[in-house]
Amino acid sequence: MIYAGLCLLGIVLQTVFILVHYRDKKVLSVIFKTLASVCFVVLGFIAAEKALDPVFAHYIKLGLIFGLGGDFLLESRNLSEKFGKKIFLVGILVFLVGHVMYIIALAPFCEKMWLAVVIAVVLAALLLWWIFSVIEAVIAFKIFGVFYIGIIVLMNVIAVMNCIALPGPGRIQYVAGAILFLLSDIIMILYTFGPKKDFRLRASNLSLYYAGQLLIALTLLLAY
């Protein structure tokens, strides 16, 4: 029951955040975004107590913590016009570290890491080619984008390969969370750097991201 309660609380807080974000309430946005992220971190820590693999659980918890840090920084960038872009880049870097933690958690279960890397490089290159064809961004953001998309695509590829090698509820759920995370990031890039600022894109980005984090946190309740 506590897991469902935390998920519900987090979803409510995330929904409120999206609403105040739409109304451009910058301080409230930071507060509610951070509170919503705290929910999936707490969820992960509580679920980790049931995890069969403590090492896997440890790195998933670290990934969730860095996700919380990235959320706070990315939303806080709107509080400072002078340092907003720098805060955004630091936030992306923190998210990147979080994805690395997820990869470290998944890596021991991947029998052919070299193949995962090759597939991820090809898929990331194709995805980045498409993204850069539809957006305009300064070189610093493009460099960060290459590393960021590359890492999250690698995380998805490893998760899928693990699931194919040994299907199970935990691995299927992780794949679902990873895919939602990737879709969320693609939409975020299109919204941030694309020609149109349709808030429906932003709402979709935030909703998919939060669902992805919840699914990854709840994976700790299942055997991986």
Side-chain angles (χ1 to χ4, degrees):
M1 180 63 81
I2 189 172
Y3 308 114
L6 278 170
C7 288
L8 180 59
L9 177 60
I11 291 170
V12 170
L13 290 170
Q14 182 75 353
T15 302
V16 174
F17 155 65
I18 293 173
L19 292 174
V20 297
H21 184 73
Y22 175 72
R23 296 174 181 271
D24 200 28
K25 304 293 185 180
K26 295 180 173 60
V27 175
L28 287 176
S29 292
V30 174
I31 292 172
F32 281 103
K33 180 61 172 173
T34 303
L35 290 175
S37 300
V38 167
C39 286
F40 65 63
V41 172
V42 174
L43 177 66
F45 271 76
I46 295 176
E49 297 178 0
K50 302 285 187 179
L52 297 179
D53 189 328
V55 176
F56 177 79
H58 172 71
Y59 286 107
I60 292 297
K61 288 190 295 183
L62 287 177
L64 293 170
I65 290 171
F66 280 105
L68 164 61
D71 283 338
F72 173 77
L73 288 168
L74 288 185
E75 199 58 34
S76 295
R77 78 185 190 273
N78 297 317
L79 300 178
S80 173
E81 293 185 7
K82 182 178 181 180
F83 299 106
K85 290 184 178 180
K86 292 181 179 179
I87 294 173
F88 178 82
L89 290 175
V90 174
I92 293 296
L93 179 60
V94 171
F95 262 122
L96 184 65
V97 175
H99 288 311
V100 171
M101 295 299 105
Y102 289 148
I103 289 175
I104 293 174
L106 297 172
F109 305 95
C110 186
E111 297 178 356
K112 297 181 179 179
M113 182 60 71
W114 65 270
L115 180 59
V117 172
V118 171
I119 294 174
V121 168
V122 174
L123 292 178
L126 292 173
L127 181 57
L128 286 165
W129 173 79
W130 174 72
I131 288 174
F132 290 149
S133 70
V134 297
I135 69 167
E136 294 182 3
V138 298
I139 188 64
F141 287 98
K142 286 187 176 182
I143 292 173
F144 267 77
V146 168
F147 284 102
Y148 187 83
I149 291 296
I151 289 295
I152 192 170
V153 168
L154 177 59
M155 191 257 285
N156 272 263
V157 171
I158 295 173
V160 171
M161 287 181 62
N162 287 352
C163 189
I164 292 174
L166 184 63
R171 296 191 178 197
I172 293 172
Q173 182 168 300
Y174 195 101
V175 168
I179 291 174
L180 290 179
F181 221 133
L182 177 59
L183 291 174
S184 167
D185 285 333
I186 293 172
I187 294 173
M188 179 191 72
I189 292 171
L190 295 177
Y191 174 80
T192 303
F193 301 106
K196 295 183 179 181
K197 297 297 182 183
D198 189 336
F199 192 80
R200 287 175 296 183
L201 286 177
R202 180 61 170 152
S204 298
N205 149 234
L206 295 170
S207 300
L208 292 174
Y209 160 76
Y210 201 78
Q213 288 283 41
L214 289 179
L215 286 175
I216 290 175
L218 289 171
T219 300
L220 297 175
L221 294 174
L222 304 170
Y224 190 84

